[in-house]
Amino acid sequence: MRIINRYLAQEILSSTLLVTLGLLAMFSFFDLIQELDSLGHGNYHLGMVLFFVLLSAPGHIYEVTPVAVLLGALYSLAQFARHSELVVMRVSGVSRANIGLALLRIGAIFAVLTFLIGELVTPITEKTAQKMRLQAKNDVVAQEFRSGLWVKDGTSFVNIEEVLPDASLHDIHIYEFDPDFRLRVVNNAKSGFYEKERWNLRDVTQTSFAEKKIRIAHYDQAYWQSVIKPELLNVLLVVPEKMAAWNLYFYIKHLSDNHQKTTRQQIALWSKLVYPIACLVMVILALPFGFLQQRTGGIGAKIFAGIMIGISYQVFNRLFVHLGLLNDWAPIVSATLPTLLFLMGGMAMLVWMEKR
């Protein structure tokens, strides 16, 4: 059984890696075509474009791995069936359950790799890529509103018109309120940078509102203590779906502490935890196709079915995220329901296959 397990692992791993490379090449080509439109903006030359595409590759690997596992397993199982290798294994005393467990172990390897890439590699490469691109094009970090970024910090509301890729700030407006939410102080700063656990603001104009008078003071430099840190501002560079789960958790905590909506971030967090399990689900979906008789469809038909299943899974994932945001569903439901539905479909197919 050990030799059979090693043989199955070798064939499925090689097929899955080949499919992953193919999908990665396709998505990288699309990235290259898209980035060529920005070629020549500022210092954004061809070398930087290629480097951006290279840094975007881990994110694509993370996204396509479950589909690659499905197609790799389907192709390998179809080849085994075509050459009657599965029949030989069955005659030799290897049950379908043994083969299924062997494939699930292979799926578990890809699940762990997917999790590690999503947690340790993608957040870093994605942030580096976006930062390099913005710096080369002399752009600012994308803002949530036309007036810039708005953040709640305790009883203060902070408006930052420009956040640069190095996490320095331009045109900062800090509105401080008392516990009864009466405006107490407005601080306007031309720029700011983070050092020694605090913000160093430059060219600051402070307007204080008392009961009977308004006082205006100007400072060349002032220090600002805030829960807002460069790590928090870095979330502007990376979409929640590509952030590390650990950073995403603390960002959700910050938003919750300031009574801000966190539905999208919570869905992204649950998706990060559930998505690697999709590799196991895809193996379960591939198993019934492997045991179908050759007359029920050739390799081409099975691969086409696998492609359609993989596309359907990705579409359902995106669809349920948007439906959850629109209908305010529980984040765990929006993130896990597509995977559960496909798992149930795979189990139903296995039960049907056993009854044949």
Side-chain angles (χ1 to χ4, degrees), residues 12 35 39 61 104 109 148 175 213 233 302 318 325 351:
I12 293 176
E35 290 303 310
L39 188 64
I61 293 174
L104 284 175
I109 294 173
Y175 303 90
K213 62 179 180 179
L233 295 174
K302 293 177 181 178
R318 301 287 177 87
L325 289 172
V351 171

Side-chain angles (χ1 to χ4, degrees), residues 291-311:
F291 290 110
L292 288 174
Q293 296 297 322
Q294 187 64 28
R295 64 178 180 270
T296 60
I299 295 178
K302 293 177 181 178
I303 293 299
F304 178 76
I307 292 173
M308 296 307 298
I309 292 172
I311 292 174

